[in-house]
């Protein structure tokens, strides 16, 4: 139900706009036709005013709703990009640590898991932070 909510809100805005324009055209046209039948009244001009103002107000009134849907879409895409970048950084960090461990094993050193200091393989505690290495 809440998947693609931004697109659904924008679709709702479009529907409201179209329905408002259709209603304005029908009601304004009906008032204009009544104005033809009774020439003494200003109904024809009122019908034109309803038609034009109704269509314009229907179009303008959905901007906020459509903008809200667009905001949700953009926020969702930013969230996805940030999650991708975070996963990419975590993968790179894990690969970097693995390479350091491989290099340390080849050089007979132990890297402290707490502070990253290189220690001799005989050391039981880190030389810098005193964390237990084994």
């Amino acid at each position: 139900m809440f998947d693609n909510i931004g697109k659904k809100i924008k679709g709702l805005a479009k529907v409201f706009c179209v329905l408002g324009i259709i209603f304005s055209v029908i009601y304004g046209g009906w008032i204009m036709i009544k104005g033809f039948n009774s020439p003494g009244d200003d109904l024809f001009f009122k019908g034109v005013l309803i038609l034009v103002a109704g269509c314009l107000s229907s179009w303008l009134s959905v901007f906020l709703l459509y903008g809200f849907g667009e905001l949700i879409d953009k926020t969702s895409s930013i969230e996805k990009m940030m999650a991708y970048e975070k996963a990419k950084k975590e993968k790179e960090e894990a690969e970097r640590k693995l390479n350091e461990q491989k290099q340390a094993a080849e050089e007979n050193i132990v890297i402290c898991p707490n502070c990253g200091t290189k220690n001799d393989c005989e050391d039981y505690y880190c030389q810098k932070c005193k964390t237990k290495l084994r």
Side-chain angles (χ1 to χ4, degrees):
M1 179 176 166
F2 296 112
D3 293 335
N4 298 323
I5 191 73
K7 290 180 183 175
K8 291 176 183 175
I9 290 173
K10 290 191 295 186
L12 182 66
K14 291 175 186 176
V15 168
F16 281 161
C17 181
V18 169
L19 289 177
I21 290 172
I22 289 171
F23 177 76
S24 297
V25 168
I26 291 171
Y27 187 65
W30 180 68
I31 296 293
M32 286 170 44
I33 290 171
K34 280 182 70 173
F36 281 132
N37 295 336
S38 55
D41 291 334
D42 290 337
L43 288 179
F44 179 78
F45 295 110
K46 288 179 184 176
V48 170
L49 182 65
I50 289 172
L51 193 140
V52 172
C55 290
L56 187 62
S57 66
S58 293
W59 179 64
L60 290 174
S61 66
V62 297
F63 275 121
L64 184 63
L65 186 60
Y66 191 88
F68 184 66
E70 188 70 21
L71 179 67
I72 291 173
D73 274 347
K74 298 296 181 188
T75 303
S76 297
S77 66
I78 290 170
E79 180 185 22
K80 288 176 186 175
M81 287 189 315
M82 288 179 67
Y84 172 77
E85 289 297 322
K86 181 180 177 185
K88 184 178 171 184
K89 280 185 178 181
E90 288 174 351
K91 181 181 176 185
E92 290 172 355
E93 181 67 20
E95 288 175 354
R96 184 189 62 77
K97 285 184 178 183
L98 183 63
N99 287 338
E100 284 180 357
Q101 289 174 351
K102 286 180 182 178
Q103 183 182 6
E106 292 172 359
E107 296 175 2
N108 289 329
I109 58 173
V110 176
I111 297 176
C112 176
N114 187 36
C115 67
T117 303
K118 294 180 181 181
N119 299 284
D120 290 333
C121 62
E122 293 88 25
D123 293 342
Y124 287 99
Y125 296 97
C126 175
Q127 297 171 1
K128 184 176 181 182
C129 69
K130 307 300 183 212
T131 300
K132 189 173 182 179
L133 298 174
R134 298 181 216 179

